[in-house]
Amino acid sequence: MRPLRDLISIEDLDPSQVLAVLDTAEQLLPIADRRRNSVPTLRGKVVCNLFLEDSTRTRISFDLAAKRLSAEVINFSAKGSSVSKGESFKDTALTLDAMGVDCVVVRSGSSGAPLQLSRYLEVPILNAGDGWHQHPTQALLDVFTMRRHLGELAGRHVVVVGDVLHSRVARSEVQALKLLGARVTLVSPPTLLPPSVASWGVEVAGELDAVLPDADVVYLLRVQRERMHRAFFPTSREYARVWGVDERRLALLPEHAIVMHPGPMNRGVEITADVADSDRAVIVEQVTNGIAVRMACLYLLLSGDADATEGSA
Ligand code: ASP
């Protein structure tokens, strides 16, 4: 396998690298799942979480992932740092470099910020979500979760529903699924479908009911109100009626099919509370798996080829 240098976009990966992350995460899952336990794999390494945009799950997940591998963690958010005093991105990067961090996990509202950072710093950069562009670890934890439920993903059918336009998750997700040979159908309000989808190699369907009976996974995207500066659909009620998944739509899925969402959910809009809490939804499991997948990414970026679970107690 070609070694990973940074993790900025799924587009930079080949299938063997995706599989290496998934297989390593599989090895690490028992440790990710085990409270108050760690392995010494990254002892002595310093991981900086540079979060310039809000995050709950991803920030905590990276924090836990690094700690379970015994790395030291510096949490750096825009609020309370010199970034809020107007310090430039370059100066922030140079400061981190001077402090001797070994890896930077970066979340930013600006598409391209992690790539920019990788030009200033020699250490590995891990994209934790940049603008509308990419969210590679979300896609990796999602395909990891799918593979645990469905086995190999080649030939599987994943229906991605909702706000594709503003979703970095959708971009990363489609690329990861295609690398693993899955078939993807997008179902979205026409106003929330980017013109570039024509080149994504996916099918586009107008009606959710028509594609659900043939789906192995239905993946619901959050309606990203914070990125909408005009009306893209009439009302939330209308959205829920046409593009939301409720109990009636859940019943259209094959029995083995699972329901996924990257969180945070708008209950009552893209998913009803009944569906979110049903045993077909694996949304909480995605969060747990996220720790193992982020441990795998940190491990592959930061260590040599020692066993990822070496020294496990
Ligand atoms: N948490 C994911 C992200 O940061 C999905 C979302 O916010 O809709 O992109």
Side-chain angles (χ1 to χ4, degrees):
M1 180 195 84
R2 200 161 42 92
L4 279 181
R5 193 193 148 340
D6 297 301
L7 180 54
I8 291 175
S9 168
I10 297 285
E11 256 173 324
D12 304 332
L13 304 181
D14 61 37
S16 73
Q17 291 173 311
V18 173
L19 290 173
V21 173
L22 305 192
D23 294 342
T24 308
E26 200 64 61
Q27 253 189 305
L28 290 166
L29 191 60
I31 298 158
D33 223 1
R34 207 194 295 161
R35 280 155 224 256
R36 293 185 300 280
N37 240 317
S38 58
V39 285
T41 317
L42 296 185
R43 181 153 295 146
K45 302 278 187 195
V46 180
V47 174
C48 176
N49 287 330
L50 175 60
F51 276 68
L52 306 174
E53 193 196 54
D54 293 345
S55 168
T56 307
R57 234 156 314 261
T58 308
R59 186 171 48 77
I60 296 172
S61 182
F62 267 113
D63 192 33
L64 276 176
K67 286 179 176 152
R68 298 241 157 105
L69 292 170
S70 304
E72 259 178 75
V73 185
I74 304 173
N75 284 308
F76 188 130
S77 60
K79 229 182 256 156
S81 75
S82 294
V83 174
S84 63
K85 297 182 192 160
E87 182 167 64
S88 78
F89 200 46
K90 181 166 185 181
D91 289 328
T92 304
L94 295 178
T95 304
L96 296 177
D97 196 30
M99 288 177 176
V101 302
D102 295 296
C103 171
V104 182
V105 176
V106 58
R107 147 94 38 127
S108 169
S110 312
S111 301
L115 182 63
Q116 192 64 29
L117 199 60
S118 74
R119 295 193 173 127
Y120 298 139
L121 294 176
E122 286 298 313
V123 298
I125 305 298
L126 230 152
N127 182 0
D130 64 328
W132 301 10
H133 176 228
Q134 282 274 325
H135 195 348
T137 57
Q138 177 71 48
L140 292 168
L141 76 88
D142 290 336
V143 292
F144 178 77
T145 305
M146 290 178 205
R147 194 177 76 156
R148 296 202 100 232
H149 281 269
L150 304 167
E152 294 313 310
L153 296 184
R156 292 293 192 173
H157 183 204
V158 180
V159 175
V160 178
V161 189
D163 183 358
V164 179
L165 178 67
H166 301 107
S167 176
R168 53 194 174 207
V169 174
R171 285 169 182 75
S172 297
E173 196 84 9
V174 166
Q175 289 165 4
L177 286 166
K178 299 222 43 125
L179 281 175
L180 298 178
R183 190 180 136 214
V184 183
T185 300
L186 302 180
V187 187
S188 167
T191 47
L192 288 174
L193 211 51
S196 63
V197 283
S199 62
W200 288 17
V202 297
E203 293 159 49
V204 176
E207 260 201 57
L208 198 46
D209 287 5
V211 292
L212 291 179
D214 181 39
D216 296 299
V217 180
V218 56
Y219 193 98
L220 304 170
L221 298 168
R222 182 174 65 89
V223 172
Q224 310 225 346
R225 292 191 191 283
E226 77 281 19
R227 301 192 206 275
M228 293 183 187
H229 304 295
R230 62 183 174 91
F232 285 87
F233 48 87
T235 60
S236 296
R237 231 165 111 194
E238 183 75 359
Y239 183 96
R241 195 179 62 73
V242 184
W243 295 285
V245 170
D246 56 9
E247 296 245 295
R248 182 189 69 76
R249 289 204 164 116
L250 189 66
L252 296 178
L253 287 167
E255 248 170 52
H256 69 272
I258 53 174
V259 178
M260 302 179 71
H261 191 298
M265 288 183 272
N266 293 307
R267 286 178 182 243
V269 183
E270 61 263 1
I271 187 167
T272 61
D274 288 344
V275 175
D277 298 330
S278 77
D279 57 7
R280 307 293 293 283
V282 298
I283 299 162
V284 176
E285 203 182 311
Q286 285 171 262
V287 178
T288 308
N289 290 342
I291 302 171
V293 167
R294 291 180 173 117
M295 286 170 78
C297 294
L298 288 169
Y299 166 74
L300 290 169
L301 286 167
L302 275 169
S303 67
D305 41 24
D307 183 345
T309 57
E310 201 181 301
S312 165

